[in-house]
Amino acid sequence: MTVSKKAACNSHGQDSSYFLGWQEYEKNPYHEATNPNGIIQMGLAENQLSFDLLESWLAANPDAAAFKRGGHSIFRELALFQDYHGLPAFKNALVQFMTEIRGNKVRFDPNNIVLTAGATSANETLIFCLADPADAFLLPTPYYPGFDRDLKWRTGVEIVPIQCTSRNGFRITSSALQEAYQLAQNRNLKVKGVLLTNPSNPLGITLNRNELNLLLNFVDAKGIHLISDEIYSGTVFDSTEFISIMELLPNRNSELSNRVHVVYSLSKDLGLPGFRVGAIYSNNGSVVAAATKMSSFGLISSQTQYLLSAMLSDDEFQKKYVVENRRRLKNRHAMLVRGLRRTGIPCLESNSGLFCWVDMRHLLRSESFEAEMELWKKMVYEVRLNISPGSSCHCVEPGWFRVCFANMSEDTLQLAIRRIKSYVDSISAMKTGNARSRTKSISKWVFRLSYHDRERDR
């Protein structure tokens, strides 16, 4: 063997249909001019709707992009070694932005924040800090497929699903929590915490106050941790309010507050996944200290911190961006939902995120995951859309798919909807044709039967 057992183990999840769809897309990517028959990428939760706002700010603030302060270059200052605590100016600007997104209902202390290279690094770092190999975290299903990689691959920690279903809109229940905890115990796993995404990826819904209190009561009773991944908090696009888990902590005991941690990133809200900007927020001094030491393995460059500290410190820009970005997401979400509804495909009612949770159960050949994979392959190879099957998100019901809408132009989304409609129409035509064939066969059989009856009666 040329690599270590850890490097070779299959818990990375690279063979998941979620990642396989990406591989097929990369072989044949859609381009309106050079490859109009290629695969449209609808498996990427990326926000490209508000780049013009960022570019306008950069054009109006050339010193920040040129690494200047007061007209003088600070390139050398930024290029030299920085410790892993991060630039104070950026941490102050980041917590200010996090506060703005949450309607100023929560205040964050910059001393309690740890900077990481994206949310992937933040989640893994927290798992390293809170759990040992073979310990377990409970996760509500369906969940982001990348968690199998982020939480398990290098840490050795197990994921135990909290099974949520369409019967109640995939909401978390007390019975599902207890069943997951019992399942972990039956497997002799020590449960160290619960990890949730709020707003949910892939559901595109925000957790309500009852669910959040249910989770807090549960982890309080069990003496375990709660990680709230809130990287989509700025994508809530309708009147339903987003409630951060931090908003509920002031009414709780300090011991519980020390076991609640938030993960954040600028990848979704600001549309900057390539900048690799993530963060851990915790009131637990020991966790902050440990995570800060571990962050040296995944730092954010000083240049990135300087540029974004200038951008996020601009209060006028920050407020304008949050409002306008939400408006654009709402319009794009509505476009996809309307288009799918016209084809007879419903979506889970949602209020956030960069995707819809789409119900294609009626298009399955049978109620099975085998049939779901057949439909997924048709979508990728025939319809030429890369969407994510529910099984890759550990959904317990076959036939649900995550479909992203914010990583493409409006024209491309309309083309994707037309492709889906053509496919659904072809299925309907096939069913109608089969029904007509069966009707003709039955008619011929009835005619032959009546003919023989007449001959016999003679």
Side-chain angles (χ1 to χ4, degrees), residues 139-142 160-165 167 170-173 175-177 179-180 183 394-396:
L139 268 68
T141 63
V160 177
I162 302 168
Q163 302 291 13
C164 304
T165 70
R167 286 193 298 272
F170 295 97
R171 293 292 177 176
I172 302 169
T173 64
S175 59
L177 279 169
E179 287 168 9
L183 176 61
H394 301 272
C395 182
V396 294

Side-chain angles (χ1 to χ4, degrees), residues 5 52 84 111 113 127 134 150 183 188 196 250 277 281 283 301 324 326 332 334 357 362 381 383 387 391 393 402 428:
K5 291 180 180 178
D52 61 307
Y84 45 57
N111 294 314
I113 204 164
I127 297 297
D150 302 352
L183 176 61
N188 294 317
L196 60 97
V277 178
Y281 188 87
N283 292 316
S301 75
E324 179 62 15
R326 285 172 171 163
R332 186 59 64 85
W357 190 236
H362 61 293
Y381 297 109
V383 187
I387 60 178
S391 55
C393 303
R402 191 190 76 164
S428 299

Side-chain angles (χ1 to χ4, degrees), residues 71-133:
H72 300 286
S73 174
I74 57 168
F75 174 79
R76 180 173 298 188
E77 175 185 330
L78 296 173
L80 297 177
F81 176 78
Q82 305 283 343
D83 72 25
Y84 45 57
H85 290 86
L87 300 182
F90 176 61
K91 294 172 81 169
N92 288 330
L94 182 60
V95 297
Q96 180 183 342
F97 186 63
M98 293 168 64
T99 299
E100 178 69 27
I101 283 173
R102 290 158 180 78
N104 295 297
K105 296 176 182 178
V106 180
R107 296 292 175 185
F108 295 95
D109 183 346
N111 294 314
N112 292 351
I113 204 164
V114 180
L115 301 179
T116 64
T120 294
S121 177
N123 277 310
E124 187 190 53
T125 297
L126 264 180
I127 297 297
F128 268 124
C129 289
L130 304 178
D132 294 310

Side-chain angles (χ1 to χ4, degrees), residues 187-207:
R187 294 171 55 187
N188 294 317
L189 297 172
K190 183 177 181 181
V191 177
K192 297 304 292 286
V194 176
L195 188 147
L196 60 97
T197 56
N198 183 30
S200 168
N201 176 11
L203 299 176
I205 60 176
T206 50
L207 274 69

Side-chain angles (χ1 to χ4, degrees), residues 48-62:
Q48 298 183 20
L49 302 187
S50 299
F51 273 155
D52 61 307
L53 302 179
L54 304 178
E55 290 166 340
S56 295
W57 185 90
L58 289 171
N61 296 269

